[in-house]
Amino acid sequence: MYQNLLSIFLYLRSPFFFLFFCLVCFSSYSQENITVTGKVTDNQTNLGLPNVSITLKGTTSGTTTDVQGNFSIAARPGSRLIFSYLNYAPQEVTVTTNGNINIALASQSKELDEVVVVGYGERKKKDVTGAVSSVGAKDIEKSTAFTPEMALQGRAAGVFVNSGGGDPQSRPTIRIRGVNTFGFSEPLYVVDGVPIYEGGAGVTSGAVGDIRSPVNILSMINPQDIESISVLKDASAAAIYGVRASNGVVLITTKKGKSGKPRVEIASSYGIQNIPKTISVLNTQQYFALVKEAYANNPDANTSFEARFGPLYDAANSQYVGNGPTYDWQKELLNKNAPIHDHSIRVSGGNEGTTYYLSVGYAKTESPLKANYLERFSIATNIESRISKFISTGLTLRLVQENAVQNTGTDLGTMMTTIPFQPFYDANDPTGFAAVTYGEFEPNPDFDPTKLDPGASFNYKPGFPKLLWGPQTRFNAFAFQSLNDNQYDLSRILGNAYVQIEPITGLKLKGSFGGDYFVNLRKSWGNNDAYRFSQTPGNPFAGQDGKAVGSYGERQGKTYNINKELSLNYNRTFLSNHNIDVLLNASEQFGRWNVSDLSGRVDYADPQFRGIRNQPPYTNGFAGILQEDALIGYLGRISYKFRDKYYLDGTLRYDGSSRLAPGNKWDKFPSFAVAWRISSEDFFPKTNFINDVKIRGGWGTLGNYQSAGYYKFLSNVNFGPDYSLGSGNGNGIGSQLQGARLPDFANTTLTWEKLKTTSIGVDAILFNNKVSLTAEYYSKTTFDIIQSVSLPPNTGIEVPADLNVAEVSNKGIELQLGYNAKLGPVDFNIAGNITTVKNRVEKLNAGTPLGGEAGRIEEGYSLFYLWGQKTGGIFQTQAEIDAWRKSHTDVSIGQSATNPATGYRYKPGDMYFQDVYGNPRNSKERFNQAPDSLINSNDRTYLGKTIPGYYYGLNIGANFHGIDISIFFQGVGDVQRYNYQRSSGEGMGSLANQWSTVLDRWTPSNPSTTTPRAVYNNPSNPSRFSDRYVEDASYLRLKNLQLGYSLPKTILGRTGFIQNFRIYASGVNLFTITPWTGLDPEFDGIPPTRQFLLGVNASF
Amino acid sequence: MKIFKIKSVLIVLVLIVAGSIAGCKKSRIDLLPHGPTEQSYFTKEDDYNKAILGVYAKMTDFFWYNGGAGSTPMPVFLLPGDDITTNNTNEEFEQFGSLQPSSGRLSYLYARHYQMIARANLILQKIGSVASGVYITPNMKNYHQGEALFLRGYAYYNLWNFFGTAPLVTERVTNPDQFNPTSSTGTQLLEQAIKDFGDAALLLPTSWDAANRGRVTANSANGFLGKSLVFKASATKTATDYPAAIAAFNKIAGAALVADFGENFAFDKENNQESLFEFQASQAFGFDNVWLDNDFDNAIGSLSIFWGFYDNNFALFGTSRFYATSKLAAAFEPLDPRIDSTLKPADRTIKKYVVRNKANQSGPGSVNNYRILRYADVLLLKAEAILQSGGSTTEAINLINQVRTRARAMRAGGLVPANRSTAETNKTTIMSWIMSERFIELAGEGQRWFDLRRWHMQGIITLDNSFFNSNTTTVSFQSPKHLNFPIPNSELDVNPNVVQNPGY
């Protein structure tokens, strides 16, 4: 079947066909226009309706009503005008020669006629058959985030959003209906038809993760320009992007102009943000008490505490710091009341032939931590023009410049464990900061300044560098922030142009050409003086001639992405009730990511002179990265509709990706969906409490090529390793030579990762159009999952290989409920949604589990579950220990089952662990279900799951005489996380500073049952990966509270030019209810901030 | 007219778009990387040379700083045994009791050895089918093959000494069926090392030119062949391997003890006459970044070695430095000149590798080569082989005396250490001489644990807690459990066919 379709389509693609079309379809039209005027009112209240859209049928020209509901438009007699207004039934009226039209519109259910962008077109919500969530401009504007994805958090059922914290540059994590794969799990973003491509996407570690900018590239789209965000969640919805849609598709549609008078809108907001919580840590006195006690408790403390850790720790020494002041490193790092700016101006309008939208925006957000901000300048245009009766064309183009400074260089977690007696500032130091290390240098005998590469000019003298604050010295982040500089300079052009020909009504041929080009430049400056503030000081003179004051580097990543598409669409209604919509589409995408890097020393301190051009000619560079992707896809879609009652959609794709192995590059992906509006059946009772009911279901398959790395079917040659030969006879260095390695496992059978989805849902409008309900069950299975994991070490394969082996399922329910009502003068609405996810690994290669303790992948469990030992308790008495030891041996700390004198001997206050399983009895078994009295690595077990079991959002809004209020809650539940910060903050095994919670540690006089005693390098290893640090990470947040006031139309009418004026105050993350003991249950690194904002929106 | 113009423009525009799509050929997705792949590589002699250097480079991973005193594998080589100790509390490689399959250092060392083996296996596969004309330099193909065999043998030699029963992989892994090999048994790994060293000895050159100094030679292979045979004889308590070991040692030509014992640990006397195999520590010409591994990138990844435990480098960050045990300090005759290059009796700090050291640019790293096999070691092994196989005791004692004579001669008119009497015929006494000579001569060179382990297997000594003479008080050695270190969880967790060593 699809072969036939394809051959027809291939013919259609030929240029001759186009030429034919083009020649046939040009004709001009002429008739005199007259001016039509009139008024649009509400059929019940008889009040004028403002902003009603009036379009001339068959054209894009049109206008809108003014504040009183009056309009004026030029039209030919006999042509038809369409009056449409949100939440009202549209009407069509024929223009008569008298030029006067007054009509009354009737309100109807708000939901059904909402238009939803579904990819290659729009549909009314009532006609949607697949699983689609949509968020409109109103809600997007309420989200104060810099980046558009955050507008989805809690507002779109089935869409899980983790903010990535309060760093304005961070990337939120989006997962649609669970996590499909261990590989690439990010949804596809499509901005105005251009699928976004990012080099290194999804990679957060290693060289690629480092080189890929930390700045979120989606922040380069101004949320103010967005009309709607649609999320396509199941196969039948996402099939049109099937080639890369298995993780769902996020369609971002930007605003367009409407014909009519020019409309000017301004939006401006200003706010501040702060991190709401820091962790209480020990002061200097408490710290010394703890580390002394911990050291004394160690059975191997064969050297005195003072001798082991030096004079700073020696109360008898003049350098002793134990009586000194306490420095609060966390507070010092905070950037209090970090400002947030967002300002934009948009102009839109048009005439019957052409509409336009222009926008200019500026936004800047400072991080809640010092020395970090993100700033955006954006311009967007959107122009559409009907050139003749049959031809229309359009262009969207956005230019963005982003500047980011990223000098924080640390986080609160690091600050928590910094020793409390180490100061930040020192007035006597020329930099003003307290030094961390002290080094003395001596000239290198090999140094030859006459050479271009003179070698290291100085080496540290023996015994240097020295740490100034003892063995636990920490780097001085504040000095780094001041001396060094790390800036990002990102530029982007993103645009799409199309030409559409409609030779006969309903038949559209559209060719489009879109592209995204973005350059990410990192400019990094390292001051030679900075070594004094590092606890791991490099030699600043290495490879330099001693004159340099620092080093400067530029790393540039260029991404370009070209997308070409041709589609043929035919939509026609036959015999008045049968509607058919056929789409044939061919698309090709090519993306390239190219990274280069240059760096070298700089002999001038002036920031003005920092540049590659001012460096001496011995600049270092590295080869960088060059990655390319190509995709070709063919799509056929047929949609059939009978009387808005029965719906049928069928899609077939044929896709190819460059990333897969030859012979497996191409695959077919079919999908189907049906819907039945049961409420339109004659037998369905007409009542006021059930207004509309539609049952829908879909099935389909989608592909994911992005889990595959680049060229994983090949064995690449890498020139990373170096070795040196020829030393001897006085030369200790020899000559550095380049080596080669072939680190890959070439998988020659690598093929598509595929996703099968099934969803069944009900959409209903209830109780006199006041309640809307969507309930949906989904079930997805990803198979042939491309597993990119390290192979067993014995293979010696250095780079994780990509294999198609595993199967993962996600099942769950989505529920959305909305209520709209007018309670007297108050417009009241409440909307909530909840999504459940049951994630399960169904099958793995030979059943062999993967991954470590922090993210275990094992059959029958949720992906990335936490895996470790379970704590038993804390011994309170020697008798307890003796009793326990009779039946248990902790092998992992060296205890012997036969000889209790061997290995570590517990003392009261020590933590012990549970014997959960036994050692395997044979090589087939991983462990024995029956405990064996031995505690070792075979006792590791399930400790928690990292994929939330459910997440939800609740929005309550009210509108009263121009005052509007909206309260938005959002949360996740049934999820656990490992609290890494607490594990280093309560471990008490080193000289690092600790959380104040350790004041409750076990001592003979404080027999704690939760915190063990303090022991330096604790041989009982209570900080092993165990449930001790696994915590419930569920939370409920008051995400947004907004209070606004709009000037009444009556006052605005008097001004004559202001159409809309609203001021608002907004609070973000006002409170969070959570059992999580760390900084934040969502993200501990730089936690999400609490924000207070004031803003104004106006249109003219 | 105007309309017509717009139409013409439009037609062209539409044609361009349509044409570009119509031209979309399916083959456009057949992209290939912009860098060499296996298919395009191995076409020149230099390609093979680079690949061989890549095998050598893997050794960096055994000895570098690895971005932290808590991560570097050096303690695994240096600490176990009775020559070196530390004040670290809970030091698993000294106390044994807390040795766990989750040990990061072990897991790292295990994986890196197999990476070295994989690199060698790949070259052996490629060189086996190399087209004629690729190699132009006479004999170079043999040399490369010999180097790959030698380095694989060295990796198996280490693996057997550390883990005993790790899997044996001698073919390049190209198929998922090869991912999960079973554990080896007995001395299988050591036997593979013996085979590889034996094959390599026949292929390798006797020496290299100055620019290639540091590459392995036939001497390196014969030295390690003999050493592995002696080890196998110890472990299996059979004397039949000793004659082969002696034969291998006898093939070593041109090696000699250097006059100054200290030169063996001096950065400016690397690859000297006594040296049979060294790790060639160096520094990257850009900046030797001791936080990035050798494979990271040219001119950035570390090429250096970490001697920080011996010289109390700042980069220890509170981890204790290493000391000589009091047992070692007492083993030297006070006037033995070797003590000056080995330790400072007053505080038992270690001087080997440190007093004649050269730090690289970045501080924690050093360019001072790790001496893996010295001729002095060979002489003592040969003495042991002769003694244990019932050979001439005089010949054996003379070999010990060669080592002692060199030491004695360092001081003008020196009397200590005196020669052992060649009249001695008691095998046990002579063996104890060999053992104590090895203790003193090779102290702190990462050899001690391997010797103790095999002698304990052989029944010549009995290891127990008191034997180790540790600064720490909680040594908890259990035999036979601790003779093999645990197979790391990183292997066990993913390879169902591997069996953990008993006791863990």
Side-chain angles (χ1 to χ4, degrees), chain B residues 65-302:
Chain B
Y65 182 53
N66 194 17
S71 319
T72 173
M74 279 302 254
V76 190
F77 287 91
L78 302 179
L79 265 188
D82 57 348
D83 54 344
I84 305 293
T85 185
T86 175
N87 288 334
N88 281 338
T89 54
N90 196 26
E91 175 49 73
E92 54 192 349
F93 295 102
E94 178 163 26
Q95 299 164 346
F96 297 101
S98 52
L99 262 179
Q100 295 175 54
S102 59
S103 160
R105 290 194 224 264
L106 278 187
S107 168
Y108 179 84
L109 211 51
Y110 180 95
R112 300 298 157 131
H113 273 89
Y114 278 105
Q115 289 178 8
M116 184 156 152
I117 290 165
R119 288 185 186 183
N121 282 341
L122 178 122
I123 289 171
L124 292 169
Q125 182 209 37
K126 288 287 162 188
I127 231 165
S129 58
V130 62
S132 63
V134 169
Y135 273 99
I136 11 180
T137 314
N139 294 323
M140 192 52 79
K141 182 182 158 189
N142 284 347
Y143 298 170
H144 283 166
Q145 202 172 358
E147 287 179 289
L149 287 165
F150 176 91
L151 292 167
R152 183 174 76 181
Y154 173 60
Y156 278 122
Y157 165 83
N158 278 345
L159 284 173
W160 180 77
N161 277 297
F162 286 137
F163 301 101
T165 68
L168 178 63
V169 183
T170 54
E171 296 284 332
R172 181 181 175 201
V173 175
T174 53
N175 190 310
D177 301 346
Q178 297 165 275
F179 290 167
N180 298 322
T182 54
S183 300
S184 66
T185 54
T187 52
Q188 242 181 319
L189 298 181
L190 193 57
E191 282 157 35
Q192 183 63 41
I194 290 166
K195 183 170 183 309
D196 286 342
F197 290 133
D199 293 345
L202 302 173
L203 295 163
L204 285 167
T206 51
S207 67
W208 293 87
D209 61 13
N212 283 292
R213 205 157 41 209
R215 301 182 88 131
V216 292
T217 61
N219 280 353
S220 318
N222 280 316
F224 254 110
L225 173 60
K227 184 165 187 170
S228 307
L229 285 163
V230 171
F231 274 42
K232 183 171 160 242
S234 300
T236 55
K237 298 185 206 175
T238 51
T240 47
D241 289 313
Y242 289 121
I246 296 163
F249 291 139
N250 285 337
K251 286 185 193 147
I252 296 173
L257 299 179
V258 294
D260 174 4
F261 173 74
E263 288 185 1
N264 289 311
F265 319 104
F267 81 93
D268 54 349
K269 302 289 179 184
E270 291 166 349
N271 302 317
N272 60 29
Q273 234 182 341
E274 184 171 340
S275 170
L276 297 181
F277 183 38
E278 298 179 9
F279 162 63
Q280 306 291 317
S282 182
Q283 63 184 16
F285 62 79
F287 176 72
D288 195 78
N289 191 332
V290 295
W291 307 88
L292 300 176
D293 76 15
N294 182 304
D295 291 336
F296 189 86
D297 210 346
N298 301 111
I300 305 174
S302 178

Side-chain angles (χ1 to χ4, degrees), chain A residues 68-121:
Chain A
Q68 278 80 34
N70 296 320
F71 71 95
S72 160
I73 187 170
R76 283 174 289 124
S79 61
R80 289 176 75 79
L81 293 178
I82 300 167
F83 293 79
S84 52
Y85 191 50
L86 190 63
N87 305 329
Y88 284 80
Q91 282 192 31
E92 215 172 289
V93 179
T94 305
V95 176
T96 56
T97 45
N98 78 6
N100 194 342
I101 297 175
N102 289 319
I103 66 163
L105 296 179
S107 72
Q108 67 166 29
S109 163
K110 301 184 176 195
E111 294 275 332
L112 293 176
D113 282 320
E114 269 176 34
V115 168
V116 177
V117 179
V118 294
Y120 300 105

